[in-house]
Every structure is written in C-alpha cells, then in structure tokens.
Amino acid sequence: MPAERIVTLLPSATEIVCGLGLGERVVGVTHECDYPPEIVGRPAVTRSRIGKGLSSGEIDLQVRESLKDSAAPDSAALYHLDAPLMVRLAPDLIVTQALCDVCAVSAGEVHRVAAGLAHPPKVVNLEPMSLADVFETILLVGEAADVPERAASYVASLRARVERVRTRVAARTTPRPRITMLEWIDPLFNAGHWTPELVDLAGGIDCLGALHAPSHEIQFAALQAADPDIIVIALCGFDEARAREDVALLARHEGYADLSAVRAGRVHVVDGNAYFSRSGPRLVDSLELLADLIWCAQDGASGQAEIVPSITSSVPLT
C-alpha cells in the first residue's frame, strides 16, 4: 500500500523522499529540514537540546556529555521527538536513522513513539556509510513508499552523474593532490563515513580519513604531519558563513601558516550542512563540487567551475 502520510526524522531522509517526488505526502519533518525549499514550514516533530549561539567548543562539550550519559539516555538525548504531534499527524511511514545519535532522534525513542500510535506506522531506518549505501537507502525508501520503479530511475540518474565525474577525473594526467577534509575545528575532526570515498572519486587522496569509517578527533600535529595540498572545511551542520567564522580557530594553531595548503592558497570553506554532512542525494552534488574545487585549484582556475558550473559554494581563502 502506498505511503500517504510520511514523517522524516532527518534532513537527508526529507531530501530522499522529495527526490522521489513524494514531497506532497510529507506531513512532518525535523527542525533542521530546510531543503528542498517547498518543505520549509511543514510541522517540525523534533527539537534540539543544543542551545543556540554556542561556540563550536561548547557544542562539542554538550555532545560529549550527552553521549557519555548512558545511565539516563532519554533525559540526556540531544534531540526530542514530539509524541503528541506525532499522534495528530498519524503517519503511515516514518523514515529515520540509527547511525548517529549526534544527528537525529535516537532509534529507541522513535520506535517507542511509533508503537504507541493508534495505527503503528512502518519505520524505515537508514544507516549508510558509503555512497553505494546511500543509493541503497533511496531504493529502500522507494520500496517502503511503494514507488520502487521511481526510486530505481532516480538512483540510475545519480549513478550516471557519478560516472561522469569518474570519467573526467580518469582522463587527467596530473598527480592526485592530497586532501584533508575537516568536519569540525574546535576540536579538530576529520570527515569520515562517505567523505573519503568522495575524495577518491573526485581525484584526490584523503590524508587522514579512513574509508567508510566514522569521523574521529585528530590533533593539529596530525594535520601538520599530513601536510595536505588542499584543506576543505565542511563543518557538520554548519553553513559556509558559520564555517568561515571558525577558520580563525584553526589559524590560531602554531604552524598553521606553514602548511602547504595555506601557503598555496588552497584552504577552502564549503557549506557542509547542505552537502557533505547529509547522507542523501546531494552527496552527488558534493562529489561534483569537490571535483570542481580540486581541479580548479590544480589548474589555477578562478571563478569558473570546470565540472559543474552551477555549484559555487567553494570559496578559496586568501
């Protein structure tokens, strides 16, 4: 039976459902869902316990405190699900995740609330660690929403875009640059999960990331030792403007000015919240953006993207 009332509990799920042409069936989203634009204003079924206006260091401390408090996980959880609103919305499909408690409502809370509804909905958990996994989640949602053919066609179009990038990168003869992707600055975290794969597909070598492994904290000494050709700052949950503010925290480290990427003017800030942080269809946009950024930097180009002219979120720091 087709899903007629869908609640999405993470932004990437919202983007997947809308990418499948089911946006009009979405009756509830998270407080963070902001894409596609037509989804803005739908009832928000979640709220965050992370205060507004906090520094990156303060956010990190609150996240760490929450994650280590296993004695009272519900009271310490970073996100809260509005159970009364869920009752009123009466979804027949909930799309959520169990991959990361920092990213969304816990899977346990979702299943408890779903089980308490008058007509318990189907609950689909998305747990991608790679680009291929993301494509599989799209197929999974398509199956759950009873639009499998539409999902297969959508995934085929995304795979075709990936292959176009792969083909163009393979045609290059210059050496692959060494890349460090940072998803947090205070403290420093490398970008993990699918990001090292994106770096490889885009024609770079990820200096500090482990393929399909979670992000992890690094010391500035590790960044110095890696001494990448290019540094890309894609802060988890933050847009480009906020990421630019945090660049000053990175620049305070002794030895920052001596990094090869800094001396070459190849430190870039991108909108991590819109692209690299979300395990949805826009990861393909992220791949195109990254390939463009890497090879424009290699070629000394400025202003004109060589692979995807429409993506202009990457901005070199001078």
Side-chain angles (χ1 to χ4, degrees), residues 29-144:
V29 296
T30 78
H31 62 286
E32 295 179 316
C33 291
D34 56 8
Y35 188 88
E38 57 265 27
I39 214 71
V40 176
R42 302 290 172 91
V45 300
T46 67
R47 68 172 185 269
S48 173
R49 289 190 169 97
I50 298 176
K52 293 186 179 298
L54 297 180
S55 69
S56 295
E58 291 168 333
I59 293 172
D60 178 73
L61 179 61
Q62 186 169 345
V63 168
R64 290 176 187 267
E65 289 297 319
S66 174
L67 293 180
K68 77 178 183 180
D69 191 355
S70 58
D74 287 344
S75 62
L78 293 172
Y79 301 98
H80 174 73
L81 183 60
D82 189 334
L85 178 55
M86 290 288 285
V87 170
R88 294 195 296 274
L89 294 176
D92 52 20
L93 174 62
I94 298 174
V95 186
T96 186
Q97 62 93 46
L99 180 67
C100 176
D101 287 340
V102 176
C103 299
V105 176
S106 72
E109 184 177 2
V110 173
H111 284 282
R112 284 194 296 274
V113 170
L117 298 178
H119 300 285
K122 183 184 302 183
V123 178
V124 175
N125 273 316
L126 311 182
E127 301 185 40
M129 288 289 287
S130 68
L131 194 56
D133 289 346
V134 171
F135 295 154
E136 287 300 319
T137 64
I138 295 173
L139 297 174
L140 181 64
V141 173
E143 192 71 35

Side-chain angles (χ1 to χ4, degrees), residues 295-313:
W295 296 112
C296 280
Q298 284 286 96
D299 297 340
S302 60
Q304 181 63 41
E306 80 170 20
I307 292 182
V308 184
S310 62
I311 296 178
T312 58
S313 296

Side-chain angles (χ1 to χ4, degrees), residues 14-15 17 40 57 104 124 139-140 158 166 195 206 252 267 270 278 286 311:
T14 301
E15 295 184 21
V17 171
V40 176
V124 175
L139 297 174
L140 181 64
L158 293 171
R166 195 195 306 268
T195 303
D206 194 315
R252 290 175 188 171
V267 178
V270 299
R278 297 184 179 182
S286 305
I311 296 178

Side-chain angles (χ1 to χ4, degrees), residues 214-231:
S215 306
H216 63 272
E217 185 176 352
I218 62 173
Q219 300 302 312
F220 184 74
L223 181 60
Q224 285 181 300
D227 196 24
D229 301 307
I230 301 173
I231 297 173

Side-chain angles (χ1 to χ4, degrees), residues 60 69 91 142 148 157 170 194 226 260 265 276:
D60 178 73
D69 191 355
S157 69
W194 43 81
S260 294
F276 296 89

